[in-house]
Amino acid sequence: MTEVFSIDPLIIKNDYYIEYRHSYGKTSPFFTNLAKGKIMATHCEHCNKTYLPPRNDCPECLRETKWVEISGKGTIHTFSTMYFAGEKFLKDVPFYLAYVELEGVDTLFLTRIKTKNPEKLKIGMKIKLKTARDPEWRATDVWAEPDE
Amino acid sequence: MVAGGVTYFSKARKDKTQEELVAEAARMALYDNDINLDKSEIDGSVTGYFSDHFEQQLKFGAIITDYLGLNPKSHVRIEGGGATGGLAIREGYAQVASGLLDVVMVIGFEKMSEVNTAKGNEFIALASDTDFDFPVGGYYSGYYALMARRHMEEFGTTEEQMAMVAVKNRNNAQHNKFAQTNPKMNPYGMKDGGSIKVEDVLKSPYIAYPLKRLDICLMSDGASVAILASEEKAKKITDTPVWITGSGAGSDAMRAGDRPRDKKSLPLLPHEKPEWYKNLDYPGVHSFRAGREAARQAYKMAGITNPLKQLDVIELHDAYTSSEIQTYEDLGLAKYGDGGKLVQEGQTLVDGEVAVNPSGGLIGNMHAVGATGIMQAVEVFWQLQGVAGKFHGSDKTQVKGAETGLIHSHAGTGTYVTVSVLRR
């Protein structure tokens, strides 16, 4: 039976579900190394730049990059508390997002911050990336925690 | 540009289908502007709409050209997130300026109400990186909150200054009968709309610190239509055409964190001095390099050397109050860091040095994504013709003696930005 919300105008319910088989391509080692507790970034030897999120191809020179392990230590560049979210993440609010500056990395990395003391979060605070013991093979397998 | 039309904007226009809404705007463009143009003289169309998900209908452009009786003429669909409308105007401009077509109807639309607000936010969030940013809970109010906090840290911008943007735009909208937040004049308006004060914004609930509900733009149903014509044709169609004298477009990284943070990435505008910014890492996450680049191109083409003095009216993409302040700086209306002061000093009010968002913008008027940039073109067109009051149903929105205007259309965290300069 079609669900009907209104007769004039006539409003009915439609839905749509899609399953994707999503490949991480050449960035796959980032996710598989997280499962081993290692944080990997990509480095362009020609431009001397290190990218995280990783890129197989350097955007500056289009040469292929190489994987390098990073310490995962860094600082908060900016952060915010999410009191609302897209439908998929409404169950998680409130949660904390930050762009972090990481040792040896030229880009900023967007990640969640997990902390029992959110009131102490501030720009410039030292953090360290942590990895999940049971991987979900998603970007949520890595997050930041205060390191001071 | 020779004509413009818009619909009444609303959270939900359940009374009409998408194509019926487009017809409402197209009819206004054809019959409510003072023009001598038969519909048969239109050589082709450009449609701008953002997401196929909102209505579970792909290739909506084909439904539109059929419904408006524009077949079998030329048509192309343009999509560029929040900048869809501005990119569609640029495409229409390019088709006319190149001599490909003489008269083009540029059509923007979106009907966002067929899914709930959180799902709508999710669709918009899918226009960010879905491997690294979306999966950690990223969504646009979150990305803009992160950028706004860095802007506050870098430059001392305050939540009060952001609130002043919301108050300005929302209260401008109270004199525009098409605006979603105007329940007095718009039969489809928000019941809890109306004018607001700085305290109302500051007291509204946080969505993502420092952004509160009233700092954030609307989600809308609606459509807008602009008709562009070649110089020769335009002079026959109307005695008061508005000329597009500059067009610029810029781009930047999908993930804001991937943007550079250095001293050499900042393109200066003609009135700026290198010593102003010798300590500024640019664009970082506090500024929009694509907006700066689009402005640089458009100013060069239009001969704008002092934007604050030369521009009389601007419709800019105020997705967030913070991004209006950031954009003042990218457009060179204020030095980097001084955007908050510009609104605080009242310089962007309807009777200020340069009126910004007299229509109410995305915060007060509408944000039906694909329609937004074209609504901006229509609004500035009416302003430069001096007929904004006639269309809005109140003379309080008309910028007196406006001769030069600008429209600014912006996508993502600044991934695509277009700037056009219009002149009477």
Side-chain angles (χ1 to χ4, degrees):
Chain A
M1 276 272 285
T2 302
E3 196 173 331
V4 174
F5 298 100
S6 154
I7 292 295
D8 185 21
L10 182 59
I11 301 174
I12 62 160
K13 181 175 175 176
N14 278 338
D15 54 28
Y16 192 52
Y17 171 80
I18 316 170
E19 182 182 295
Y20 293 92
R21 308 230 165 158
H22 179 56
S23 169
Y24 285 119
K26 296 283 188 191
T27 61
S28 301
F30 172 74
F31 295 94
T32 51
N33 275 292
L34 288 180
K36 297 175 202 158
K38 286 187 186 177
I39 317 229
M40 306 295 286
T42 57
H43 177 73
C44 174
E45 288 178 341
H46 183 262
C47 298
N48 194 28
K49 284 217 162 172
T50 305
Y51 301 104
L52 192 69
R55 298 166 178 260
N56 185 60
D57 309 284
C58 174
E60 305 232 337
C61 70
L62 280 185
R63 289 176 175 85
E64 291 201 303
T65 57
K66 292 204 164 67
W67 287 101
V68 289
E69 187 173 354
I70 59 162
S71 69
K73 288 186 177 178
T75 54
I76 294 177
H77 184 76
T78 179
F79 71 102
S80 174
T81 312
M82 304 296 126
Y83 298 97
F84 187 74
E87 191 176 42
K88 198 171 172 182
F89 302 102
L90 277 178
K91 62 180 182 350
D92 298 351
V93 298
F95 60 91
Y96 309 95
L97 284 181
Y99 280 113
V100 294
E101 299 177 26
L102 294 168
E103 275 178 13
V105 176
D106 289 288
T107 50
L108 298 173
F109 185 64
L110 181 68
T111 195
R112 285 201 194 187
I113 307 182
K114 296 188 186 173
T115 174
K116 293 199 178 78
N117 306 103
E119 71 287 351
K120 291 193 175 157
L121 293 175
K122 60 176 199 293
I123 289 175
M125 182 184 217
K126 286 183 183 163
I127 55 91
K128 188 166 182 2
L129 294 185
K130 301 280 181 181
T131 56
R133 212 165 291 164
D134 300 312
E136 294 283 337
W137 314 107
R138 295 181 195 281
T140 40
D141 287 351
V142 60
W143 63 88
E145 289 181 10
D147 187 32
E148 54 184 41
Chain B
M1 183 163 168
V2 295
V6 295
T7 60
Y8 284 107
F9 296 106
S10 176
K11 173 84 184 161
R13 284 288 307 266
K14 299 279 188 201
D15 60 308
K16 285 189 176 180
T17 64
Q18 182 71 88
E19 57 272 31
E20 291 162 353
L21 286 170
V22 170
E24 186 180 314
R27 190 157 48 237
M28 184 186 292
L30 283 169
Y31 299 114
D32 294 353
N33 291 264
D34 186 17
I35 54 171
N36 176 27
L37 174 73
D38 191 84
K39 185 169 149 284
S40 63
E41 294 173 76
I42 296 168
D43 296 317
S45 59
V46 176
T47 53
Y49 51 106
F50 159 57
S51 177
D52 301 312
H53 294 344
F54 282 119
E55 291 211 84
Q56 212 191 109
Q57 170 69 61
L58 277 70
K59 231 155 73 58
F60 216 122
I63 293 177
I64 298 298
T65 59
D66 171 25
Y67 199 79
L68 298 186
L70 295 171
N71 292 334
K73 292 170 175 173
S74 150
H75 171 260
V76 64
R77 179 245 180 124
I78 298 291
E79 187 280 315
T84 296
L87 288 163
I89 292 284
R90 183 169 155 94
E91 171 63 20
Y93 168 79
Q95 290 188 2
V96 170
S98 64
L100 206 53
L101 304 180
D102 284 330
V103 183
V104 177
M105 182 177 266
V106 184
I107 303 158
F109 54 88
E110 212 81 47
K111 200 165 200 269
M112 305 173 76
S113 68
E114 302 219 337
V115 298
N116 69 51
T117 302
K119 181 58 90 181
N121 263 296
E122 187 177 302
F123 289 162
I124 296 167
L126 290 172
S128 65
D129 182 296
T130 57
D131 278 350
F132 292 95
D133 288 359
F134 173 73
V136 299
Y139 71 117
Y140 272 95
S141 297
Y143 305 138
Y144 276 80
L146 291 162
M147 294 191 282
R149 188 178 216 137
R150 189 68 203 185
H151 200 274
M152 293 164 81
E153 170 81 9
E154 205 83 38
F155 303 125
T157 307
T158 65
E159 288 181 72
E160 286 76 11
Q161 290 170 334
M162 294 181 209
M164 288 172 195
V165 173
V167 170
K168 169 178 69 70
N169 295 356
R170 177 77 171 249
N171 292 356
N172 285 346
Q174 303 316 309
H175 306 288
N176 170 5
K177 72 177 184 186
F178 303 111
Q180 184 168 328
T181 64
N182 183 345
K184 286 208 182 105
M185 297 167 80
N186 177 351
Y188 308 94
M190 260 163 71
K191 289 198 181 63
D192 59 346
S195 61
I196 53 170
K197 299 190 182 77
V198 167
E199 305 85 80
D200 298 322
V201 184
L202 295 176
K203 275 189 285 186
S204 66
Y206 278 108
I207 301 297
Y209 178 89
L211 299 173
K212 294 161 288 288
R213 188 167 297 280
L214 291 174
D215 285 302
I216 299 176
C217 70
L218 301 161
M219 285 171 84
S220 313
D221 287 358
S224 46
V225 167
I227 303 177
L228 309 182
S230 64
E231 183 171 356
E232 193 187 334
K233 243 345 207 179
K235 286 177 179 164
K236 288 182 188 151
I237 294 168
T238 171
D239 294 334
T240 53
V242 164
W243 307 105
I244 300 176
T245 57
S247 170
S251 60
D252 215 331
M254 184 65 137
R255 297 182 297 245
D258 288 1
R259 304 195 300 220
R261 282 172 293 133
D262 59 31
K263 308 271 185 276
K264 64 178 193 299
S265 298
L266 173 62
L268 288 180
L269 298 175
H271 66 291
E272 293 178 327
K273 298 185 175 63
E275 58 267 26
W276 291 2
Y277 303 130
K278 58 179 189 288
N279 297 316
L280 182 69
D281 283 334
Y282 190 81
V285 295
H286 51 72
S287 300
F288 303 115
R289 187 171 51 154
R292 168 55 60 121
E293 172 61 16
R296 191 191 63 75
Q297 294 167 14
Y299 291 170
K300 190 174 176 199
M301 196 169 156
I304 302 289
T305 51
N306 190 342
L308 185 64
K309 296 286 170 221
Q310 285 172 275
L311 298 170
D312 303 311
V313 57
I314 294 176
E315 287 284 332
L316 75 74
H317 193 95
D318 54 327
Y320 299 91
T321 54
S322 50
S323 64
E324 177 161 326
I325 289 173
Q326 290 166 292
T327 298
Y328 291 161
E329 300 167 359
D330 297 318
L331 295 179
L333 304 175
K335 281 185 196 175
Y336 279 104
D338 286 350
K341 284 185 205 130
L342 196 72
V343 67
Q344 195 166 10
E345 290 164 358
Q347 298 213 51
T348 53
L349 295 169
V350 170
D351 58 0
E353 184 65 43
V354 56
V356 177
N357 289 327
S359 77
L362 282 67
I363 285 172
N365 185 10
M366 59 78 94
H367 188 28
V369 185
T372 301
I374 297 161
M375 171 281 287
Q376 296 173 328
V378 173
E379 286 290 341
V380 169
F381 171 77
W382 287 338
Q383 288 285 356
L384 299 180
Q385 284 195 330
V387 297
K390 182 191 115 185
F391 280 94
H392 290 162
S394 161
D395 58 9
K396 290 192 174 157
T397 53
Q398 177 66 49
V399 179
K400 308 269 174 328
E403 292 192 350
T404 307
L406 179 146
I407 54 176
H408 162 273
S409 191
H410 173 117
T413 51
T415 43
Y416 313 137
V417 183
T418 67
V419 168
S420 308
V421 176
L422 283 70
R423 197 162 278 172
R424 186 159 81 181

